[in-house]
Amino acid sequence: MFSPVSARATSAYRQVGVQSIVDGASPHQLIKMLFDGLILSINGARGAIERGDVGEKVRHIGKAVRILQEGLLSALDRERGGEVASNLAQLYEYCVGRLTLANVRNDVKLVEEVAGLVGTVSQGWNEMGLQGSNS
């Protein structure tokens, strides 16, 4: 359907679009985008495990772990964030461990556990953003 040149052009265009969104986003929006990507990856891993697609499972879990470690964990300000930042760090590290175990065991229940935990934090983050925009 696409020639290799068209596929590359489409990919480059998409990357420029994403970069523009990121460049114009507030810190709160950036974290929301990380949560959105994390939830998509977790759901992708869940589906891959259910289908028995090992390659996709590994890809989605790997992406979720990177978002947790390189995105959400590294964004925490542990000095100013105090106990909340410390608790979130522990939660994110726990989620990394559960996803790693889910990957090894092909255990969808572990992925669902992480989905529930992350979903709760993501929902709280989204509500904070709504409250901030209403003030």
Side-chain angles (χ1 to χ4, degrees), residues 10 16 18 25 30 33 45 53 73 82 85 91 93 97-98 107-108 112 115 121 129:
T10 301
V16 167
V18 169
L30 291 172
M33 289 163 45
D53 188 339
L73 258 169
L91 176 68
E93 290 166 359
R98 300 307 274 176
D107 190 336
V108 76
E112 289 170 349
V121 177

Side-chain angles (χ1 to χ4, degrees), residues 6-22:
S6 295
R8 280 195 302 263
T10 301
S11 177
Y13 179 78
R14 210 174 303 134
Q15 287 175 346
V16 167
V18 169
Q19 188 62 48
S20 297
I21 292 169
V22 168

Side-chain angles (χ1 to χ4, degrees), residues 29-43:
Q29 290 169 322
L30 291 172
I31 298 299
K32 181 188 180 317
M33 289 163 45
L34 287 171
F35 277 122
D36 291 347
L38 177 58
I39 290 167
L40 282 173
S41 293
I42 289 169
N43 288 334

Side-chain angles (χ1 to χ4, degrees), residues 42 68 95 98-99 109-119:
I42 289 169
L68 283 162
C95 288
R98 300 307 274 176
L99 287 172
K109 293 214 182 295
L110 293 173
V111 174
E112 289 170 349
E113 175 189 1
V114 173
L117 295 168
V118 166

